[in-house]
Amino acid sequence: MIIRPSLKDIKIILSNLGKISIILGIVMVFPLLIAILFKETDPMYDYLIGIFASFITGLFLIQLSSLKDKTDSKIKWMHGMTVVSLSWIMAMVLGAIPLYLSGHFRSFLDACFDTMSGFATTGLALITDLDHLSYAHNMWRHLMIFLGGQGIILVGLTLFMSRTRGAFRLYVGEAREENILPNVIETVRVIWSLSIVYLILGSTILTIIMLFEGIPLSKAVLHGIWIFMATFDTGGFAPQSQNILYYHSPLFELATMFIMLLGAMNFRLHYALWTGNRKEIFRDIEIASFFITMGLTFFITSLGLSRADVYPGAIPMFRKGFYQLVSGHTGTGYATIYPRQFINEWTALAIMGLSTAMALGGGVCSTTGGIKALRIGIIYKAFSQEIKHLLTSELAVIIQRFHHIKDNILNDKQIKMAFLVTFNYLILFGIGALFGVFYGYPLMDSIFESISAAANVGLSCGITTPFMPTGLKIVYIIEMWAGRLEFMSIFVLAGLLVSMIRGK
Amino acid sequence: MQVKRVRLIQFIFFLKLYLLIGVIGDMLVTTSYGEGIASDELIEKAKDYDGKEIVFQGEVIGDIMERRDGFWINISDGKNAIGVFCKKEFFCGIRFTGDYSHKGDILEIRGIFHRACPEHGGDLDIHAIKMTRLKEGERIIHLASQKKIQLVIWLGIGLFILVVIGLIRGNFL
C-alpha cells in the first residue's frame, strides 16, 4: 500500500526549502557588492530583485510550514531526498531572475538553462553577447558553479544545520556518499575549508599568469577568481565567449589543466594529502582507475586525431587533444577549440574517445559528474572476481580487495550500486541522444551533447545554442539536474508525487 | 561579305563585352570573397580557408594582450570571436575594446587564416598583415530601468510585510 505523505511531511519539506531560498538570497549579496564596487547600476537592481525574491519565497515557505526552527532533527530520508531535488529546481528559478533581467537571454527558460548548468557545474550556456556582460553577472555565473560544485545543500548545512542526523540525509541526497570525518557537519566544514584554501592559492596563480600574459590587474584578479571557481568545481563557464581560447596562453592552459585534475579528486583524498597521508594518492583505486581510463581514452582520441590530419605536428595535436580530453574526463568543459571543430575536424574515433572520457567522470565526493572513477574501479574488480571464480574450483571463495581511503573487501552491495548508477547514466545518455535525433540532429552530435549535459561536462559540438528547440532545452535541463544529483533523490521525489496522488 | 564582316565585328564586340563582364564579375566576386568573411563561414569551412589571405571585420572585445613578438586581440563579428595575432609593425592604435561599459573599435583585419596555427599550438587564428580601424568605439551608458526600480520598491514592501507577519506569528527564522 502506498502511504500518502502527511501534512507534517509537507511542512518539513517546505520549511527546509524556505531556508535554502534564504541562503540563495544571502549568496546573491556577493554579485550585488561587485555591482556597487564597479558602479554597475542596472545589474545592482537585478540583484536587489533577486535577493528580495529569494527572501520573500523563503519567508513565505517558512510561514506556510508554520514550523519553528530545529525541525532538521526530524528529517527522514524521504524529506531529505525531496528537499534536495526540489531545492535545485527552486535555486534554478530564483537564480535565473537576475540573469534574465540582464537582457542577455532570449527567454526566461534560457536563463534557467544557464542557471541549472551553473549549479550542476555543467558549463553549457545559452547566454548571448557574453563579451559585454557586466562584472556582477559574471560573478554570479561563476559563484553558482562554486556553490553548486560543493552542493547547494552543503551551504545550507553550513549555515543552518546543527544536528547531524537530518543533516546527513540532506548531505547524501546531494550525491555525496562519503564522509571525510564521522560527523557530517565537520565533513562539510572540511570541504569548505579546503575549497577556500584552494580558491585563494589557485586564483592567485591564475592572476599572476594573466598579468604575465598582458591582462590588466583588476581584470586579471576577477578572471583569476572566476576561472578558478569554474575550473576547480569542474564547471566550465568563462567570462569571454571564446572560453579558454580567449587567453592564447599555453601556460594558462597548463594551469587550468592542473586545477581541473585537482577538482576531479575526491575531497577525502584531498584531506588525506593535507593531513600528511601522501601515500594515499598512489594506493587509491579511484586515482588508479581515473588515470588508466584517461590513458586509454587519450590513446583512442589521439589515434582518431592522427587520422584527421588537422594539426600540424605532434605538439599542437597533443595540446588540443589532451586539453579537451582532460577537460572532458574531469567534467569541466573548458575548450580551446570551437564547438563545430569537433564535428568538422575531429574524426568519429576521436569524438568517441572524448565522449567515453566525458561519460566516465572523476572521483566520487568531488565536484565532477559522470559515472565516476570509483564505480569503474568496482565494476572492473567485480568482473575480475567473476573471471577468477570461473577459472578456479567452484568451491573456492574468491575475495576481492581494493583500497579506497582504507582497505575494503568488495561486497555485493557495492557492486549493485556501481552497476545501478552506471545503468542509470547510460539510460540518461540514451534518452538525451534520442531527443536530439528526434529534433533532427545527427546521431553522433546528439550522443556527444547528451553525454555532455548528463555527465555535467559542458563541452558542446554546436547543438547548444539559444536557437535550439525548446523541448531539447528542457531535456538537457533535466539531464543536468538528474546527472548532478545521481538519480536517487529524483526517484524519491517522483515517488512522493505518485504517493500524493495514489496514496491512502 | 559586308554582312559577314558586320556579324564578325558584332561577334567580337559581344565576345569582348562578355569577357569584360566576366572579368568585372570575377573581380566583384573575388572582392566579396575577401571582404568581411563571417566567422561562422571561417569556422565551418576552416579547411577551405586554411593558409589563405582573408579579410575579417568586427569589434575588438576584451583585452589587448601584449606578448614578446606582437599583440593578441580578439575580434567578434557578433556570432563568434576569433583571435588575431598582430606583429607590432602592423598594429594600429585601438582606442576602445568591447566590454560591459564599452563598444569596442570596429576593425578590418587582412591576414592569413589558420585552422590550426603551427606557431600557436594549433589555435584557430588569423595572423594580421594589415589592420584598419573602420569605426571608433564608444562608452556605453547603461541607465537603470524605471521598471526595475519600481519592482525593487514593491518587493521591498512585500518583504517588509512578510517579516512583520513572521514576527507577529512568531514564525520568524
Side-chain angles (χ1 to χ4, degrees):
Chain A
M1 188 179 72
I2 302 170
I3 300 167
R4 192 193 295 262
S6 67
L7 187 64
K8 193 181 163 192
D9 292 327
I10 306 291
K11 282 184 173 182
I12 291 172
I13 292 166
L14 290 182
S15 168
N16 283 286
L17 282 176
K19 289 174 189 172
I20 300 293
S21 178
I22 290 171
I23 289 163
L24 207 67
I26 294 169
V27 176
M28 278 189 208
V29 171
F30 286 97
L32 176 71
L33 291 176
I34 292 289
I36 294 167
L37 189 69
F38 288 94
K39 295 175 184 166
E40 296 173 340
T41 320
D42 205 45
M44 190 182 80
Y45 287 108
D46 298 343
Y47 285 95
L48 279 175
I49 292 168
I51 290 166
F52 286 171
S54 302
F55 281 163
I56 288 173
T57 309
L59 291 178
F60 179 73
L61 290 174
I62 289 169
Q63 306 262 5
L64 202 68
S65 66
S66 300
L67 283 170
K68 303 271 170 67
D69 202 8
K70 297 174 185 174
T71 51
D72 51 322
S73 60
K74 296 170 191 167
I75 294 174
K76 296 177 191 162
W77 279 111
M78 181 264 282
H79 302 138
M81 295 285 181
T82 313
V83 167
V84 169
S85 47
L86 288 177
S87 291
W88 280 69
I89 298 291
M90 189 181 67
M92 176 188 77
V93 174
L94 292 172
I97 293 171
L99 285 186
Y100 177 65
L101 292 171
S102 71
H104 284 260
F105 291 89
R106 294 180 76 234
S107 67
F108 188 69
L109 180 70
D110 287 12
C112 285
F113 184 99
D114 275 31
T115 314
M116 181 56 88
S117 177
F119 279 129
T121 71
T122 307
L124 291 171
L126 298 179
I127 193 164
T128 58
D129 196 18
L130 177 59
D131 298 311
H132 290 98
L133 190 70
S134 69
Y135 286 143
H137 289 303
N138 260 318
M139 175 55 95
W140 181 230
R141 291 174 73 236
H142 293 86
L143 200 57
M144 281 191 298
I145 288 180
F146 198 58
L147 295 178
Q150 320 311 328
I152 297 169
I153 297 295
L154 216 69
V155 187
L157 292 176
T158 317
L159 293 178
F160 280 125
M161 298 285 179
S162 55
R163 297 178 187 211
T164 56
R165 196 170 51 168
F168 182 68
R169 284 160 189 172
L170 288 166
Y171 177 81
V172 173
E174 214 165 33
R176 291 199 187 276
E177 295 171 0
E178 298 179 340
N179 269 356
I180 297 171
L181 296 168
N183 181 322
V184 74
I185 300 294
E186 290 297 319
T187 298
V188 169
R189 283 180 191 150
V190 166
I191 291 176
W192 274 115
S193 307
L194 285 172
S195 302
I196 300 292
V197 169
Y198 279 124
L199 174 68
I200 294 165
L201 289 174
S203 49
T204 306
I205 291 167
L206 292 177
T207 303
I208 292 167
I209 293 172
M210 273 187 265
L211 284 172
F212 177 73
E213 297 290 27
I215 294 177
L217 180 66
S218 63
K219 209 180 242 187
V221 171
L222 285 172
H223 280 220
I225 294 169
W226 296 335
I227 295 287
F228 179 83
M229 284 177 175
T231 316
F232 183 70
D233 283 79
T234 65
F237 279 167
Q240 302 288 155
S241 61
Q242 287 153 286
N243 209 270
I244 298 301
L245 192 58
Y246 171 83
Y247 301 97
H248 307 285
S249 165
L251 199 60
F252 196 74
E253 287 171 27
L254 197 68
T256 49
M257 229 172 357
F258 181 71
I259 299 168
M260 284 185 226
L261 291 170
L262 275 182
M265 259 173 65
N266 191 322
F267 273 108
R268 280 178 78 170
L269 267 175
H270 281 291
Y271 185 71
L273 292 178
W274 279 87
T275 48
N277 192 4
R278 294 194 176 85
K279 284 180 186 168
E280 274 304 312
I281 204 156
F282 302 106
R283 296 174 66 203
D284 201 287
I285 188 176
E286 215 175 17
I287 295 288
S289 164
F290 180 75
F291 281 103
I292 288 169
T293 54
M294 180 174 281
L296 288 173
T297 50
F298 181 60
F299 176 72
I300 297 167
T301 308
S302 301
L303 209 63
L305 286 179
S306 65
R307 291 180 178 192
D309 196 27
V310 177
Y311 299 107
I315 292 172
M317 193 181 85
F318 179 81
R319 190 171 149 187
K320 291 293 166 191
F322 194 61
Y323 191 87
Q324 318 314 310
L325 188 98
V326 170
S327 173
H329 207 321
T330 57
T332 309
Y334 272 155
T336 56
I337 65 172
Y338 292 89
R340 289 302 299 166
Q341 285 187 284
F342 283 118
I343 299 302
N344 293 342
E345 294 174 5
W346 284 35
T347 59
L349 188 65
I351 295 172
M352 271 175 67
L354 180 59
S355 302
T356 310
M358 292 199 302
L360 296 177
V364 297
C365 197
S366 73
T367 62
T368 65
I371 293 166
K372 308 265 170 35
L374 179 63
R375 295 190 186 111
I376 301 298
I378 287 174
I379 290 170
Y380 167 76
K381 287 279 179 186
F383 273 113
S384 167
Q385 188 182 32
E386 204 54 34
I387 290 165
K388 279 179 191 167
H389 188 71
L390 290 171
L391 293 175
T392 51
S393 160
E394 284 181 19
L395 296 172
V397 177
I398 309 289
I399 293 172
Q400 192 69 270
R401 294 172 196 277
F402 67 93
H403 184 86
H404 176 57
I405 310 297
K406 60 181 193 301
D407 287 325
N408 298 277
I409 294 172
L410 189 69
N411 62 45
D412 286 349
K413 192 184 172 194
Q414 289 163 339
I415 297 170
K416 189 182 81 179
M417 283 310 292
F419 271 103
L420 201 66
V421 176
T422 305
F423 178 74
N424 282 333
Y425 269 112
L426 294 177
I427 295 284
L428 194 63
F429 297 152
I431 291 171
L434 201 69
F435 272 96
V437 173
F438 171 78
Y439 281 108
Y441 293 100
L443 180 65
M444 181 68 88
D445 302 31
S446 302
I447 293 172
F448 185 93
E449 209 82 354
S450 173
I451 293 175
S452 183
N456 304 129
V457 178
L459 288 173
S460 173
C461 65
I463 292 181
T464 304
T465 70
F467 306 100
M468 71 197 271
T470 304
L472 202 55
K473 288 176 187 172
I474 295 167
V475 169
Y476 287 167
I477 288 175
I478 295 169
E479 280 197 278
M480 291 189 273
W481 178 52
R484 173 62 182 84
L485 296 181
E486 292 191 350
F487 314 102
M488 212 44 79
S489 52
I490 290 161
F491 290 151
V492 172
L493 175 66
L496 184 87
L497 293 174
V498 171
S499 65
M500 283 173 81
I501 299 163
R502 297 179 60 187
K504 290 175 183 171
Chain B
M1 279 298 284
Q2 192 67 20
V3 175
K4 275 187 178 176
R5 199 176 163 189
V6 169
R7 280 186 180 166
L8 187 67
I9 290 167
Q10 277 180 341
F11 174 74
I12 291 168
F13 173 76
F14 281 112
L15 188 68
K16 281 181 178 175
L17 192 67
Y18 286 137
L19 283 173
L20 191 66
I21 290 168
V23 169
I24 292 169
D26 188 52
M27 276 172 68
L28 285 171
V29 168
T30 309
T31 311
S32 65
Y33 174 84
E35 295 281 336
I37 301 169
S39 60
D40 271 350
E41 168 98 354
L42 286 172
I43 293 165
E44 276 298 325
K45 296 178 182 168
K47 194 176 179 183
D48 298 341
Y49 289 107
D50 192 26
K52 291 186 180 151
E53 189 178 313
I54 56 116
V55 174
F56 183 59
Q57 292 178 357
E59 179 193 354
V60 193
I61 48 109
D63 305 282
I64 302 161
M65 291 172 270
E66 189 175 354
R67 303 286 159 87
R68 195 179 50 193
D69 48 350
F71 295 90
W72 273 109
I73 52 169
N74 294 292
I75 306 280
S76 168
D77 68 349
K79 288 200 167 177
N80 303 282
I82 294 181
V84 175
F85 182 73
C86 186
K87 289 198 170 165
K88 289 179 181 171
E89 62 261 34
F90 300 127
F91 193 74
C92 78
I94 293 172
R95 200 164 143 71
F96 291 99
T97 59
D99 58 22
Y100 176 68
S101 309
H102 301 93
K103 172 89 183 157
D105 291 354
I106 305 293
L107 299 186
E108 181 182 88
I109 306 292
R110 186 173 285 276
I112 308 298
F113 174 79
H114 301 105
R115 74 163 167 162
C117 178
E119 203 181 317
H120 296 113
D123 285 0
L124 184 148
D125 66 15
I126 301 167
H127 284 211
I129 51 174
K130 192 183 174 197
M131 186 185 276
T132 317
R133 186 164 61 192
L134 300 179
K135 192 182 168 192
E136 191 172 292
E138 59 192 357
R139 195 176 159 75
I140 304 169
I141 298 176
H142 296 273
L143 294 172
S145 151
Q146 285 303 310
K147 282 183 183 171
K148 286 183 189 176
I149 296 170
Q150 283 172 7
L151 192 58
V152 168
I153 293 167
W154 282 112
L155 286 173
I157 293 168
L159 181 62
F160 178 74
I161 293 168
L162 264 175
V163 170
V164 171
I165 293 171
L167 285 171
I168 292 167
R169 290 179 65 190
N171 281 341
F172 194 58
L173 199 71

